[in-house]
Amino acid sequence: MTTEGLTTLIPAEKIAVRVAELGAEISRDLVGIVELTVVCVLKGAFIFAADLVRNLTVPCRIEFIRASSYGTHRSSSGRVMLDHHHDWHVEGKHVLLLEDILDTGLTVTRILEELRGHNPASLRVCALLDKPSARATPASAEYTGFTIPDVFVVGYGLDAAGRYRELPYVATLNA
Ligand code: IMP
């Protein structure tokens, strides 16, 4: 489907099915834990996180971390800035980091380094999208929604210069 300069890559229905599968898989893997600390990476993962946590059957606490590297450019600046509340509960907790997309891998690497510094009991990454061919550093997720080619995508939380986050589907921008 092509709408106003966008071409749908992953329709909303397909995302919903996959997010439910991820929720079931993560819940199965973590069954029996007292509490899961979900860390949502802002801004891009906010919609993914909202949908995913409603598909988890383990008790959750939800925290947020803000990461920025892109500015208004479509390629990573290579410098990742982090911002989070200092009173978050990560020490001794089972942590699930939720990312919108693994691209160069720099953001997730930087956040994992930060989280490890707070001594979590366990640390897992779940990314809605993965662009493995764009890696600048080795990085991977225990759980991945969709593997996509090295194309710039928007929608379902992902933006281009602040736009398109509200789209219920993932789309590519037409040239
Ligand atoms: P990385 O540090 O290069 O892995 O990039 C991670 C961040 O860059 C993601 O959390 C997104 O916010 C942003 N990003 C990477 N690729 C895309 C894309 O195709 N569309 C929108 N944002 C992207």
Side-chain angles (χ1 to χ4, degrees), residues 2-170:
T2 304
T3 319
E4 298 164 20
L6 301 172
T7 302
T8 302
L9 184 65
I10 312 172
E13 302 72 32
K14 225 174 143 183
I15 298 174
V17 168
R18 189 67 191 121
V19 170
E21 286 172 359
L22 286 171
E25 191 183 342
I26 294 165
S27 301
R28 254 195 324 271
D29 289 353
L30 296 174
V31 73
I33 65 162
V34 174
E35 185 178 79
L36 176 65
T37 301
V38 174
V39 176
C40 167
V41 183
L42 296 173
K43 297 178 184 172
F46 80 108
I47 292 180
F48 177 44
D51 285 346
L52 185 79
V53 294
R54 285 178 287 178
N55 282 279
L56 294 175
T57 55
V58 286
C60 288
R61 181 184 290 271
I62 302 166
E63 305 281 359
F64 297 90
I65 187 166
R66 171 107 189 248
S68 28
S69 65
Y70 262 45
T72 57
H73 304 288
R74 290 190 197 173
S75 62
S76 176
S77 67
R79 239 183 81 233
V80 180
M81 282 156 294
L82 300 183
D83 186 13
H84 65 85
H85 290 292
H86 293 285
D87 62 346
W88 65 355
H89 308 268
V90 169
E91 189 158 347
K93 302 287 184 184
H94 295 283
V95 176
L96 178 70
L97 182 67
L98 293 187
E99 255 285 30
D100 53 354
I101 187 165
L102 292 190
D103 185 26
T104 63
L106 294 169
T107 304
V108 83
T109 301
R110 176 72 190 87
I111 297 173
L112 287 175
E113 185 183 277
E114 170 77 12
L115 286 168
R116 283 195 191 103
H118 291 268
N119 301 314
S122 69
L123 191 48
R124 291 173 170 83
V125 178
C126 177
L128 176 72
L129 304 173
D130 188 5
K131 283 189 214 174
S133 53
R135 279 306 185 280
T137 186
S140 61
E142 280 75 12
Y143 307 97
T144 303
F146 302 92
T147 299
I148 62 168
D150 190 7
V151 289
F152 193 82
V153 291
V154 296
Y156 198 69
L158 291 113
D159 75 310
R163 293 190 58 202
Y164 308 116
R165 291 192 199 276
E166 73 281 13
L167 298 176
Y169 52 89
V170 171

